[in-house]
Amino acid sequence: MKLRPKEPPSSELTSEKLYLRRREWLKQAGLLVGASAVWGGSLVALMSRGAATPPDVELPVGPDPLAGRARAEPPADFDTDEPRTPFEKVTTHNNYYELGLRKTDPARNAGSLRVRPWTLEVGGELAHPRRLDLDEVLGWFALEERVYRMRCVEAWSMVIPWLGFPLGALVKRLEPTSRARYVELTTLMDPEQLPGQRDDVLPWPYVEALRIDEAMHPLTLLAVGLYGRALPGQNGAPLRLVVPWKYGFKGVKSIVRLRLVEERPRTTWNEAAPDEYGFFANVNPAVDHPRWSQASERRIGESGRRPTLPFNGYAEHVASLYADLDLRRHF
Amino acid sequence: MASPRSWLEPAVVAGSLAPFVLLGARALGGTLGADPVAELLNQLGLLTLVFLVASLACTPLKILLGWKWPIAVRRTLGLFAFFTACAHFLVYLVLDRELALGAVVADVTERPFVTVGFAALVVLVPLAVTSTKRALQRLGPRRWRWLHRLAYVAGVLGVVHYFIRVKKDTTEPLVYGAVLALLFAVRIGDAVHKQLRRSAARRRTLS
């Protein structure tokens, strides 16, 4: 004989009204979850377009193109004991519009850049205009490690151990004529390797230039490496300019052409926005960018701000170059 | 019976919190990149603009499609725009400028980029303060509506602030500007349409 289960007391019975509402309630809950997922997902997707999530950096392994090259000691008075910016920050926070506009894009996109073989074309006011293989050029000079402060015009800074040789040593070897007053350096023009050149955010290729005395200054470096190894693509491999007393945009990357010229060349950012980016672009806390102050800077890896120094702290070495120049007018 | 669409507002609140949860997770996980302060500023600034545009899209959606539900979430979206703008400003004030008020005053008074952004925040304050039902009753619908058109001013200031911040990559700010212009055009079109109808009706009663 089957026992009938005992009925629950009537006080515990769900009222009919509530029983009928449970489907309604479930539907409402489902709509709430669904709609919040759609709205939240859309917001997150919109945000991610601008987000700079750092890519994973792989520490370079394998043979280094610079292995076995002669090394030399850098001049001691150029050195700094400020802590170096970590490798993964130096290589994932880059302005290299030819490899993408966001700071993290160049590290992601640098794979398209082929750095060997690499030809450097030298021309203009010099004894023998010609095409040089980069490895041949590297054979001429011992590489020095130079730890320099790098101050971006966007008011952030780093301390980077570069590996390279003085631009002046190369210019001297090229035997400039007496008419050579400026040195013009140009980035590779190849949208296959530098896909950002398909967008005309700037007039490509990127061109920068220095007055000849600036180019000959012993601080001015042509860098081929950082942290002891060959430059990663995002940092301007295989050959880039480093002028530590000037804003970072002067440091033209992936250089394929060097010309010595008599007239001041047109330079890319200066041409694009002359009121914001001067030809000289010497780091100067007293001359603000039209849109932000240059009085202080954020050192990558540090919290807060630190004051910006005239000529980025290299005034004792380079201020004399500009003795008769109004630095407010020629910013 | 639950009121129709009682799920809508909680859903908008929950969804709107998602980007903050993500930013918080990235801050804790150390994936805000080499310049975390700049990343926070950029993301919060962009999010402010998205909320502002979303809140300004509510009325045009009603005009164009006859939907009533966007009006129910307009206030929530507007308040999210205001609070995100406050968070953006606080990051600038505390993390970027480290409460150096002299530098902040110099920025606001001397640099159009900051002036415009600050103005947008100031414009949003009266809107947030008068976002309650009680304020609407006190002001009366006509004055309240007039005041809350300032949201368009804040939107334009926000887009200008964004536009002058970027160096040459102006596409994104221009997209937000275009959306804003489109929303504004819908409202102007609607106002003109109503005006024409009213005068036509008046002509009919006269004749």
Side-chain angles (χ1 to χ4, degrees):
Chain A
M1 189 181 145
K2 263 199 214 158
L3 273 177
R4 244 186 97 179
K6 214 175 115 196
E7 272 184 23
S10 61
S11 63
E12 284 183 18
L13 289 179
T14 309
S15 76
E16 189 184 3
K17 210 173 125 199
L18 270 177
Y19 175 79
L20 291 174
R21 269 181 56 185
R22 91 192 185 292
R23 275 167 191 283
E24 179 63 21
W25 191 87
L26 276 175
K27 197 177 123 194
Q28 298 266 329
L31 284 167
L32 194 160
V33 171
S36 60
V38 168
W39 175 236
S42 316
L43 286 175
V44 167
L46 267 177
M47 291 297 99
S48 71
R49 286 168 53 83
T53 307
D56 289 328
V57 278
E58 287 166 31
L59 288 169
V61 289
D64 186 84
L66 304 181
R69 295 267 172 219
R71 302 283 173 109
E73 280 300 307
D77 54 343
F78 294 166
D79 208 13
T80 172
D81 53 5
E82 289 170 49
R84 300 165 182 205
T85 307
F87 178 82
E88 71 268 19
K89 297 208 191 298
V90 175
T91 54
T92 59
H93 191 77
N94 308 99
N95 276 326
Y96 194 176
Y97 281 13
E98 290 90 325
L99 289 173
L101 298 177
R102 287 182 294 185
K103 299 277 183 292
T104 47
D105 287 341
R108 285 206 176 81
N109 301 334
S112 55
L113 188 59
R114 295 185 300 273
V115 298
R116 287 295 187 285
W118 193 270
T119 306
L120 177 67
E121 186 191 326
V122 296
E125 300 293 340
L126 48 80
H128 310 287
R130 58 200 190 274
R131 294 164 67 83
L132 295 163
D133 183 73
L134 178 61
D135 285 314
E136 184 192 345
V137 175
L138 288 181
W140 298 343
F141 311 103
L143 299 180
E144 299 173 27
E145 175 156 278
R146 302 269 187 102
V147 185
Y148 283 165
R149 288 176 289 276
M150 204 281 293
R151 170 63 157 77
C152 180
V153 74
E154 298 164 348
W156 53 267
S157 63
M158 294 183 176
V159 178
I160 305 173
W162 300 104
L163 203 57
F165 55 89
L167 171 62
L170 175 62
V171 170
K172 213 162 126 191
R173 200 179 160 109
L174 297 176
E175 299 170 70
T177 72
S178 59
R179 282 196 299 274
R181 292 182 55 228
Y182 291 90
V183 178
E184 177 198 79
L185 298 162
T186 307
T187 297
L188 169 73
M189 179 69 198
D190 181 359
E192 292 286 313
Q193 298 190 57
L194 298 170
Q197 290 174 336
R198 293 196 186 109
D199 299 327
D200 55 356
V201 279
L202 286 172
W204 309 118
Y206 198 95
V207 177
E208 261 306 338
L210 297 171
R211 226 167 51 184
I212 193 86
D213 57 337
E214 299 174 321
M216 300 307 289
H217 193 280
L219 268 171
T220 305
L221 195 71
L222 278 176
V224 294
L226 60 81
Y227 270 103
R229 291 188 61 104
L231 281 175
Q234 62 268 35
N235 295 90
L239 182 71
R240 67 163 293 167
L241 180 66
V242 178
V243 196
W245 72 91
K246 292 176 180 286
Y247 292 120
F249 70 87
K250 291 296 284 186
V252 46
K253 300 182 172 87
S254 307
I255 298 166
V256 291
R257 190 163 66 229
L258 179 157
R259 281 166 46 82
L260 299 175
V261 292
E262 192 169 4
E263 298 291 320
R264 189 164 104 181
R266 304 204 304 189
T267 56
T268 300
W269 273 111
N270 180 235
E271 203 181 355
D275 52 333
E276 302 192 3
Y277 309 101
F279 172 80
F280 286 98
N282 293 317
V283 175
N284 191 343
V287 176
D288 287 339
H289 186 277
R291 290 180 279 146
W292 56 81
S293 162
Q294 296 290 28
S296 65
E297 66 203 50
R298 219 163 28 232
R299 177 68 54 85
I300 298 301
E302 288 180 0
S303 64
R305 286 180 166 263
R306 53 164 69 214
T308 290
L309 303 173
F311 298 104
N312 202 21
Y314 298 96
E316 54 168 321
H317 303 297
V318 297
S320 59
L321 296 179
Y322 310 101
D324 8 309
L325 203 66
D326 177 358
L327 292 173
R328 288 197 166 271
R329 223 158 67 77
H330 300 278
F331 55 87
Chain B
M1 245 332 255
S3 69
R5 299 215 179 85
S6 59
W7 49 273
L8 184 62
E9 199 173 334
V12 168
V13 171
S16 299
L17 288 172
F20 293 96
V21 172
L22 187 69
L23 270 183
R26 286 180 64 200
L28 290 176
T31 60
L32 286 173
D35 197 344
V37 176
E39 179 71 356
L40 280 177
L41 282 172
N42 292 344
Q43 289 273 287
L44 290 171
L46 194 58
L47 191 57
T48 305
L49 207 51
V50 170
F51 283 134
L52 209 50
V53 168
S55 70
L56 285 170
C58 294
T59 307
L61 276 178
K62 187 186 137 203
I63 292 168
L64 285 179
L65 304 168
W67 296 346
K68 294 220 174 63
W69 62 267
I71 304 302
V73 295
R74 190 173 56 179
R75 180 174 70 165
T76 306
L77 290 170
L79 284 173
F80 262 102
F82 174 68
F83 288 122
T84 314
C86 289
H88 176 71
F89 180 71
L90 279 176
V91 169
Y92 159 77
L93 186 69
V94 179
L95 297 181
D96 186 18
R97 290 289 160 188
E98 294 183 302
L99 298 170
L101 294 181
V104 171
V105 170
D107 268 358
V108 170
T109 52
E110 286 167 28
R111 269 167 266 291
F113 158 60
V114 187
T115 313
V116 169
F118 189 73
L121 178 66
V122 170
V123 165
L124 286 176
V125 173
L127 305 193
V129 170
T130 59
S131 66
T132 59
K133 271 211 179 73
R134 200 135 58 102
L136 169 65
Q137 281 158 5
R138 227 187 1 240
L139 282 171
R142 189 177 284 266
R143 264 185 299 177
W144 188 90
R145 263 205 304 275
W146 187 87
L147 178 69
H148 279 250
R149 285 188 187 132
L150 280 177
Y152 270 98
V153 176
V156 169
L157 290 170
V159 168
V160 171
H161 174 64
Y162 188 14
F163 184 84
I164 49 186
R165 194 208 76 89
V166 297
K167 279 207 294 201
K168 280 283 153 194
D169 39 341
T170 49
T171 316
E172 198 91 343
L174 287 177
V175 166
Y176 283 92
V179 172
L180 210 59
L182 205 67
L183 296 174
F184 196 55
V186 171
R187 301 205 55 165
I188 297 284
D190 182 57
V192 169
H193 183 69
K194 275 185 185 146
Q195 192 66 44
L196 288 176
R197 255 204 330 225
R198 257 202 299 274
S199 51
R202 212 169 337 177
R203 267 201 305 277
R204 263 200 306 277
T205 42
L206 283 177
S207 59

